[in-house]
Amino acid sequence: MHEKDLTLLEFPRIREIVSGYCSFSMSRALALELLPSSELDQIKRRLAESAEARRLLELEPGFSVYGLSDIAEPARYAALGRVLEPKILAEIRKSLGLLRRLKSKLDETAVSTPLLNQAASEIGDFAHLEKNLDKAISPEGSLLPHASEKLSLIRLRLRTKRSEVMERLQDFIQSDNTRRYIQEPIITEREGRFAIPVKAEHKGEIKGIVHDVSNSGATVFVEPFSTLDLGNEFKELEIEEMREIERILTELSAQVGALAPAIENGLGAAAKIDFALAKAGYAKRAGAREVEVYEPSATDPAMIRLDTARHPLLGAGAVPLSIELGKDFSILVITGPNTGGKTVALKVIGLLCLMTQAGLPVPAGEKTRLPVFRGIFADIGDEQSVQAALSTFSGHMSNIARILNNLKEKSLVLLDELGASTDPQEGSAIARAVLLHLLAKGVIGGATSHFTDLKVFAHVTPGMQNASFDFNPQTLAPTYHLTLGMPGGSNAIATAARFGIPAEVIGQAEAMLTEGTRQLEQLLAELQVEKKRLTDIEKTLEREKELLQKQNQALALELKTHREEKQAIIQQARDNVIEEVAALQKDLKQARNALERQKSEAALLMARNVSEDVRERLKKGIWQVPDSAKPDTDEGQLTAGDRVWLKEAEVEAVVLSQNERTGQVEVSSGPLRFKLGREGVTRLTGKSKDPRPAVQVLSSGRNARLELDLRGRRAEHVSPMLDEFLDDAASASLQEVRVIHGHGTGVLRSIVRELAARHPLVASLSAAPRDQGGDGATMLRLK
C-alpha cells in the first residue's frame, strides 16, 4: 500500500488512536508502524489475536502489562560491559517480574487464547537473575544491606567503628577540660569526617583538623587528633564498602548482559501481546469487531459487503452504511447533494478495508465480509499545491495518473469528485474514460460526481451502478442514507440557499437553468418523494407484520398456558390423594411411638431431675475462685517501693512514683513500666496468695518507633512527645533512635538537644549522618 493512499483514507489517525490504548512503549511503536498486509494468513492471524485479546479482557477486565519498561537498551549496554546503576537494575527486576506474571497468566488461559499463549512462550526464564536482583536491589533502586555477606560484614564493622568514634567524641565534648570551648554538644559530619563544633575564638584550644567553618564564622568544625586514627579507619571501611558495592553491581550487570538477547525477545513478545490488548481495548470503546476476510478466487470473486458500517473517526453519531460492491457491478457512481456524505462513504469503504487487512477490528455489523486487496488506491480531497505549481485539477490528475500506472490485480480504487475543477464537458469525458479503464482492469471502484451525463453513463454501462444519498424533499437537507440504483440530484441551488445565499441570487440562478436541467432536477425530486412514500408503505407493512407475529405469539402462549393449567389440576388431584395417605401413615406412626414412650417415662423423669440439679449447682457458683486465692490488700496511701495489686491485669507490681497533681501512679512489673489511675491499684499488705505462676512479659519492640518526626510541631508539644517516644524506645530495649527536627531557624533543634542532653534515658546524642538528615536530625543513644 502507498503511504499517500493511507494518508488520504486517514489510516495514520487510526494507528494513533490504537497506540493510545497501549501500555508499553514497544507496543506503541508497533501500533504506529502498523501497515496493511495482502497475505491472507497474516491477516487472519492478526485478527485472531485481536479476538483472543477481547475474550481475555472479558475474563480478566484488568489484565494489562502496565508498568513494563523497555529494558532492552540497558541490557545491551550491560552486554557491552557497562555497569548499571541500582535504579536501572531495579527497573529490570520489576520488568522481569511482569514478564514472568504475563507468561504465567497466559499459560492459565492457553485453551481460550492459544495464539497469545504462543507469543508468551517466547518469554524466557529469568528466575535466577530475578532472584539475584531481588536479593541485592530494593524496589526503590538502592543496594540492600545484605546484598553480599562481605557487604553485610563491612557495614557491621562500619556501625561499630562509627559508635567508637561517637563515644570518643562524646567523651571529648563532655570533658571538663574542653566543654567550655564547644559551641554545641553535638557531633557533626563534614566531608565524610566526624567533627565537633568549636567556638571560633577557642579553635586553638582544641588540637585537630578543621574541616569546615559556619556561614557566620562563629563556629569551626574540628576533628580532634585523638579521634583521627578512628576516623581514618572508618574512612577505609567506607572505601572498602564502595569497592564491594562496585563489585556487586558489576556482577549483576554482567548477568543482565549475558541474557540481553533473551530479554529483548521477551520484551518483543510482550509488545505483541500488549498490542493485541490495545486492539481489544479500541474494539470495546468503538463498538468494533473482527470481520470475515477471504482471498478472492474464480468461484468466490472479490466483493465488498458492509453491514451497518460506520466511519471510525466519527464516533457513535455516524450514520451506518450498508452496501454490497462487486456482486452485480464493479464500479459504483455516487451522486447527491453537497455535504450529503459521498466522500465519507468512500472513506468508510477504503478505511475499513485497510483496517481489516492490518488486523484491526472495525465498527461494522457481523455480516460484513471483505476480500483481500493487493492494492487500495484513493484520490480524495484537494491536491492543490503552490510549491509544486499544481492547480486543484492538476493535483487530481497527477494522483489519478499514479493510481492508473500502479494498478494491480484485485485492487480497490476510490475517486472523489472525478473530473471536477475543469470544463464540465472535458471533465465528464475524462471521468467516463477513467471509469471504463477501471472496469476493463477488473478492479472494484467507487467514484463521486455531480456530472449529469456521468449518471446516465453509469446507468447504461454494464458493470456500473448509480447510487445516491437521499435528501428530505421538504427541507432539502441531506439524510446521509445511501440508495442503490438511483442517481441523485446535486441540489446545488437549494444547498446554497440553505447556507444563506440571498434570495435574489438564488432566484436568478434558478432562472438561468435550462429547461432540461430543471426538468431533470424536478424528476429526481419527484423520485425522492415517491421513494419516501414507498419507504413509508414498506415500514407500515413491516409494523403490521410485526403486530400479527406478536398476536400469533400471544395466542400460542395462551394455548400453552391452558394446557399447563389443565395438567396442573390433574397433578394437584394426584398430590392431594398422596398427602392424605401420608397423613394416615403419620398418625399410625405417632400412635405406635406413644405406646413405646410409656415404657421409658421413668428413665426420662430421672434424666430431667439430674439436669435440674446441674443447673442449680452452676447458679450457686461452684466454679468461682475462692476468696482464699485472692491477695490481702487495703486502700491505704502509696509510697515509692510499695507492692501493689493491678486490679484489671491481676498481677503484682512495684510503685515507682505518684503524681499528686494528676493522681496517676507509675509502676513497674518485670521489664514493663507504665502509668495508670490510683483507682486501678490497691496496696498489698502481705504475701501474694495468687496461685498462678509469675508472668514474664517480653517485648519484641516491633511496635516501638525508630524515629520521631517533629517538623512543623509547636515548641510546647516537643517535651511530652519526646518523653513518650523515649519511654517506648527504652521499653523496647532500643539502643539508638533518631529525632527529625529539620534545619529551619535552629530553634526546634536546640530544644530537642537541650531536652535530650538532660533526659535520664539518653546516654549521648549526635547529629545524624549526612545520608540520614545531617544537622536536620539528632541521633540519641539510650542507656
Side-chain angles (χ1 to χ4, degrees), residues 496-565:
R498 190 158 54 86
F499 279 93
I501 299 298
E504 58 271 20
V505 177
I506 297 299
Q508 287 180 351
E510 289 176 342
M512 291 179 181
L513 286 176
T514 64
E515 183 65 24
T517 302
R518 283 199 298 269
Q519 289 178 353
L520 177 60
E521 291 295 329
Q522 183 180 357
L523 175 61
L524 292 175
E526 291 174 355
L527 287 174
Q528 288 288 349
V529 173
E530 184 64 18
K531 175 180 174 293
K532 184 177 184 305
R533 188 181 69 83
L534 292 175
T535 302
D536 292 341
I537 293 175
E538 183 180 1
K539 289 181 180 179
T540 301
L541 292 175
E542 187 65 28
R543 286 195 298 268
E544 292 178 354
K545 179 182 177 182
E546 291 178 358
L547 180 60
L548 290 174
Q549 288 177 344
K550 290 180 180 179
Q551 290 176 347
N552 288 336
Q553 291 175 357
L555 290 173
L557 181 61
E558 186 176 353
L559 179 60
K560 181 181 178 182
T561 302
H562 287 323
R563 289 175 178 171
E564 291 176 350
E565 289 177 352

Side-chain angles (χ1 to χ4, degrees), residues 414-482:
L414 303 167
L415 307 172
D416 189 29
E417 300 293 349
L418 180 59
S421 303
T422 189
D423 178 77
Q425 290 187 346
E426 293 186 10
S428 175
I430 291 174
R432 283 176 283 168
V434 170
L435 293 180
L436 281 175
H437 183 78
L438 296 178
L439 191 62
K441 289 291 185 179
V443 302
I444 293 179
T448 67
S449 177
H450 290 283
F451 293 141
T452 300
D453 51 354
L454 196 58
K455 304 172 188 177
V456 177
F457 178 71
H459 180 71
V460 300
T461 304
M464 294 188 187
Q465 179 68 279
N466 274 308
S468 64
F469 274 92
D470 303 341
F471 61 91
N472 189 306
Q474 282 75 37
T475 63
L476 299 181
T479 63
Y480 305 104
H481 288 95
L482 185 69

Side-chain angles (χ1 to χ4, degrees), residues 55 96 106 180 222 238 245 293 357 381 409 411 435 457 464 472 491 577 581 590 619 688 752 759:
R55 287 196 296 271
L96 293 180
L106 288 173
R180 61 182 178 279
V222 179
E238 282 189 328
I245 289 173
V293 62
Q357 291 188 211
E409 186 184 3
S411 292
L435 293 180
F457 178 71
M464 294 188 187
N472 189 306
N491 294 321
V577 173
V581 172
Q590 289 177 346
K619 289 179 181 178
S688 174
V752 169
H759 199 284

Side-chain angles (χ1 to χ4, degrees), residues 658-666 675-679:
Q658 183 174 8
N659 190 321
E660 297 296 334
R661 183 172 59 85
T662 64
Q664 285 191 319
V665 180
E666 184 178 10
K675 298 177 180 179
L676 69 166
R678 175 64 179 84
E679 66 276 8

Side-chain angles (χ1 to χ4, degrees), residues 28-275:
R28 280 192 289 274
L30 288 178
L32 293 174
E33 296 167 1
L34 179 66
L35 290 173
S37 171
S38 56
E39 299 296 329
L40 181 63
D41 291 341
Q42 185 181 28
I43 295 170
K44 285 189 172 181
R45 182 181 182 87
R46 289 176 174 180
L47 292 172
E49 289 172 349
S50 176
E52 286 186 6
R54 287 203 296 130
R55 287 196 296 271
L56 181 60
L57 290 183
E58 289 175 0
L59 296 173
E60 301 280 346
F63 186 81
S64 170
V65 300
Y66 180 77
L68 189 64
S69 300
D70 185 1
I71 56 174
E73 185 176 5
R76 287 194 294 269
Y77 285 148
L80 296 175
R82 179 178 294 185
V83 178
L84 303 179
E85 295 294 326
K87 286 188 178 298
I88 297 178
L89 291 172
E91 196 66 35
I92 292 174
R93 160 68 183 85
K94 177 184 175 183
S95 295
L96 293 180
L98 287 170
L99 289 176
R100 172 174 49 79
R101 290 190 289 275
L102 176 64
K103 183 176 182 180
S104 174
K105 174 57 68 174
L106 288 173
D107 281 342
E108 297 174 5
T109 62
V111 175
S112 58
T113 58
L115 293 177
L116 296 182
N117 183 62
Q118 183 179 348
S121 66
E122 299 177 15
I123 300 174
D125 183 4
F126 307 108
H128 182 68
L129 175 58
E130 190 179 348
K131 179 180 178 182
N132 290 343
L133 291 172
D134 192 47
K135 177 183 176 183
I137 307 296
S138 73
E140 294 76 23
S142 60
L143 196 67
L144 293 172
H146 53 269
S148 71
E149 292 184 6
K150 184 177 180 180
L151 182 63
S152 298
L153 180 61
I154 292 172
R155 290 186 170 177
L156 176 61
R157 291 166 60 194
L158 273 170
R159 289 193 296 271
T160 303
K161 189 62 64 179
R162 177 186 175 85
S163 297
E164 292 178 12
V165 175
M166 290 293 183
E167 289 175 2
R168 184 76 61 84
L169 289 174
Q170 193 67 37
D171 292 341
F172 193 88
I173 290 173
Q174 294 177 352
S175 171
D176 294 334
N177 297 328
T178 58
R179 184 184 304 166
R180 61 182 178 279
Y181 307 132
I182 305 302
Q183 186 74 269
E184 283 186 280
I186 63 170
I187 302 170
T188 63
E189 190 174 345
R190 291 293 187 274
E191 300 298 331
R193 307 290 297 196
F194 297 103
I196 56 177
V198 178
K199 297 176 182 177
E201 60 269 24
H202 299 299
K203 64 180 179 180
E205 304 297 334
I206 305 295
K207 304 301 180 182
I209 299 173
V210 176
H211 290 294
D212 198 3
V213 180
S214 67
N215 292 334
S216 63
T219 305
V220 293
F221 297 92
V222 179
E223 181 181 10
F225 286 141
S226 60
T227 62
L228 192 61
D229 290 340
L230 287 175
N232 290 339
E233 292 174 8
F234 183 83
K235 195 66 179 178
E236 289 173 1
L237 285 173
E238 282 189 328
I239 295 172
E240 188 177 354
E241 178 190 33
M242 292 302 299
R243 289 175 179 171
E244 177 62 12
I245 289 173
E246 184 72 16
R247 185 197 67 78
I248 294 170
L249 295 179
T250 301
E251 183 178 321
L252 292 175
S253 299
Q255 293 178 22
V256 172
L259 293 174
I263 290 174
E264 195 163 357
N265 289 338
L267 292 174
K272 292 178 186 177
I273 295 167
D274 186 48
F275 179 44

Side-chain angles (χ1 to χ4, degrees), residues 597-613 615:
R597 281 199 300 270
Q598 290 179 359
K599 300 177 182 179
S600 58
E601 284 181 354
L604 288 173
L605 181 59
M606 181 179 295
R608 291 193 188 97
N609 293 335
V610 171
S611 176
E612 291 297 329
D613 181 61
R615 289 192 182 95

